[in-house]
Structures are given as C-alpha cells and as structure tokens.
Amino acid sequence: MMDHLANTEINSQRIAAVENCFGASGQPLALPGRVLLGEGILTKECRKKPKPRIFFLFNDILVYGSIVINKRKYNSQHIIPLEDVTLETLPDTLQMKNRWMIKTSKKSFVVSAASLTERKEWISHLEECIKHLLTKTGRQPCTEHAAPWIPDKATDICMRCTQTKFSTLTRRHHCRKCGFVVCADCSRQRFLMPRLSPKPLRVCNLCYRQLLAEKKKEAEVDQRQMGPIRSAVQGYEPSSGDDSDKSDDEKAEQWPADTEFYTSEVSWSSFHS
C-alpha cells in the first residue's frame, strides 16, 4: 500500500492539506517517498487532563497537534520518527479506555481511542510501518525510552517524600527521569541527559543519586579501559636508530596525556487505502 500511494497525486494533495491546516507554525511534511496512511483524533493523557489531539500516520513519521478547528486548523505540531517508536498496550481505567503508550527516546505518552476496534487499527498500522522502516534501514528497535509523566491529578502528595501536600502555593514538579510528581524539595537537582535535552533537567533526589552512581561507574570503566593504553604509551622507547639530539625527558613531553476526555462524538479515525 505504501509503494502504491507513493508519488501519487492524491497522496500529494492529502499531505498538502495537512500542511495547510498547521500553517506557518508547522514544518513542511512533503518528502519524496513519504506517504500519508491514516489520520484520526485520539485522546492524549496530558499533565493537567486528557485532551483531544489530531494524529497523522505517515510511513516514516507520526505527527500530532492540537485542534483549533477540526479539519481546518491545527497547531503545536509534533513530529516523531517511527523508527524511534515502541508501543505498549495498557489496561483500561475508570476515566480512560482503549489505552496504549507511545514510547520514544525523548518523550513517552499515553493515548486512548474511542473504541477497541479503533485502537487495534492504530496499533496494527503503526507496528506495520515501524517493522517496514526498521527492515528498510537495518536499524534495531529502540530499547531506551523516556518515562511518561504521571498526570498531576494522580496524586495530592509528593510521590517521593509522601509528606508534602500540593496546593495552590505548593507546586507540582515532574522528574524527567522517572516521571513522578514531586515537590520542590525532592527535586532541587539538575542532571544532564543528552538523550532528552542539551540542558540539565530537573530530576528527583532518588534519580539524581542513581544517575550520579551510573556516571561514576561509567567513568571507572573508561579509566580501566584506558589504563593499558596509558601504560603502553608511557613505556614506549624510541629505537637506537633515532638520530634526534633531544633528551629522553624532552621526547616524553611530546606524548599527550552523556482528566478525563473520552468523548466518542469527537473521536474518529480513517486509514487510506
């Protein structure tokens, strides 16, 4: 189906329509060989409460955004490379049904469909695209994923100290490593996680200690691996045929030393064939 739709006029028109809906705030989506396979409204579990989001499935990326006017105007465009995506089916809750998690190295989040059939369609098409893309590129499935943020309303107290109660004055924060809802005292540290951001991110005290321990362990491994190399360099002696008039000391100096929004009336999906 992907090869059949690639470079066709109808596919180009569909992609152009999506670009027009996002307007200047969105990135260009048309590329040679890129195919728009399906689209639909899913409920995304956000930090404050679940919200409807428009999703577009291409053969190599997943695009989603906020709905301003359905089928006419969207904003807050997000583009996710499918080769970075892993899916996980989740059980229903009282507030959300037909849920699954979209996991990537930079961001993971939960979405839900209006029906079980719709969820099966989305997961089936996503898995087919991911498998096809990984086979084409020869890459292995991603194994490291960002933790999804636990919604604010999931807890009224800090999930680390279990003492601090959140209020209008006592803000909720999220650890970027584990996704827990924590208080300011339990998340004063910052840690550089290049996979997520070029800047140090807020982490809870427990994750901070774990990250420091991992960093220390990696440094020790690197030091052990460099040991034999340093020894070989320090033990190097030039041959007697070297006619340089510099002393051995001078020669040695030359060597250098990381809630609720479940409304079936607005949720729909369609996959192009």
Side-chain angles (χ1 to χ4, degrees):
M1 181 175 67
M2 301 180 197
D3 296 335
H4 174 70
L5 290 173
N7 303 318
T8 61
E9 183 64 24
I10 185 64
N11 180 63
S12 299
Q13 291 175 357
R14 286 170 175 163
I15 295 178
V18 176
E19 290 181 333
N20 290 335
C21 287
F22 279 105
S25 64
Q27 297 183 35
L29 299 173
L31 283 179
R34 176 169 288 171
V35 179
L36 175 57
L37 298 173
E39 57 192 85
I41 296 177
L42 299 172
T43 301
K44 179 176 178 290
E45 293 187 8
C46 301
R47 175 178 178 176
K48 298 294 183 182
K49 63 179 181 179
K51 299 176 181 178
R53 293 287 184 261
I54 184 70
F55 281 79
F56 298 95
L57 175 61
F58 295 80
N59 58 335
D60 61 336
I61 57 174
L62 181 66
V63 178
Y64 73 92
S66 301
I67 303 170
V68 180
I69 303 175
N70 192 27
K71 298 186 179 181
R72 292 182 58 187
K73 186 176 182 181
Y74 309 123
N75 59 20
S76 302
Q77 184 191 73
H78 296 267
I79 300 177
I80 303 174
L82 286 183
E83 58 190 9
D84 192 33
V85 172
T86 303
L87 307 177
E88 179 183 351
T89 303
L90 301 176
D92 293 345
T93 65
L94 292 176
Q95 296 79 20
M96 305 281 288
K97 300 182 183 299
N98 310 309
R99 306 162 66 233
W100 76 95
M101 187 184 298
I102 298 174
K103 299 189 290 186
T104 77
S105 60
K106 293 184 177 296
K107 184 177 183 179
S108 300
F109 54 92
V110 176
V111 294
S112 65
S115 67
L116 182 61
T117 300
E118 186 178 327
R119 181 179 74 171
K120 288 181 178 178
E121 282 191 350
W122 270 103
I123 292 178
S124 174
H125 284 83
L126 279 163
E127 289 179 340
E128 181 182 355
C129 290
I130 294 169
K131 181 180 178 181
H132 183 271
L133 191 61
L134 290 177
T135 301
K136 182 179 179 180
T137 60
R139 289 187 54 179
Q140 294 297 315
C142 184
T143 56
E144 293 187 24
H145 306 107
W149 284 18
I150 294 176
D152 286 1
K153 291 186 178 180
T155 179
D156 292 328
I157 62 174
C158 174
M159 299 178 71
R160 283 305 180 203
C161 68
T162 67
Q163 301 296 322
T164 302
K165 292 185 177 181
F166 298 119
S167 64
T168 305
L169 299 179
T170 305
R171 291 185 55 201
R172 291 172 168 84
H173 300 279
H174 279 82
C175 171
R176 270 57 171 182
K177 180 67 169 61
C178 66
F180 276 25
V181 183
V182 292
C183 64
D185 287 341
C186 288
S187 59
R188 294 192 180 281
Q189 304 293 343
R190 300 288 189 277
F191 198 90
L192 180 61
M193 294 179 281
R195 181 168 52 87
L196 300 180
S197 171
K199 298 180 180 180
L201 300 174
R202 178 188 293 270
V203 293
C204 68
N205 296 341
L206 177 61
C207 286
Y208 182 72
R209 292 193 294 269
Q210 291 176 343
L211 288 167
L212 279 182
E214 292 173 3
K215 185 177 181 180
K216 181 179 179 181
K217 186 176 180 180
E218 291 174 359
E220 291 174 349
V221 171
D222 291 342
Q223 188 173 12
R224 286 197 297 269
Q225 292 176 343
M226 289 297 294
I229 298 177
R230 293 195 184 97
S231 299
V233 170
Q234 291 173 358
Y236 175 84
E237 291 183 5
S239 67
S240 57
D242 190 342
D243 58 359
S244 171
D245 60 355
K246 292 184 179 180
S247 69
D248 289 343
D249 289 340
E250 288 174 328
K251 291 176 182 177
E253 290 177 359
Q254 295 177 8
W255 292 94
D258 147 117
T259 64
E260 181 176 1
F261 184 95
Y262 175 67
T263 307
S264 59
E265 288 82 6
V266 300
S267 191
W268 60 274
S269 67
S270 62
F271 291 94
H272 310 310
S273 60

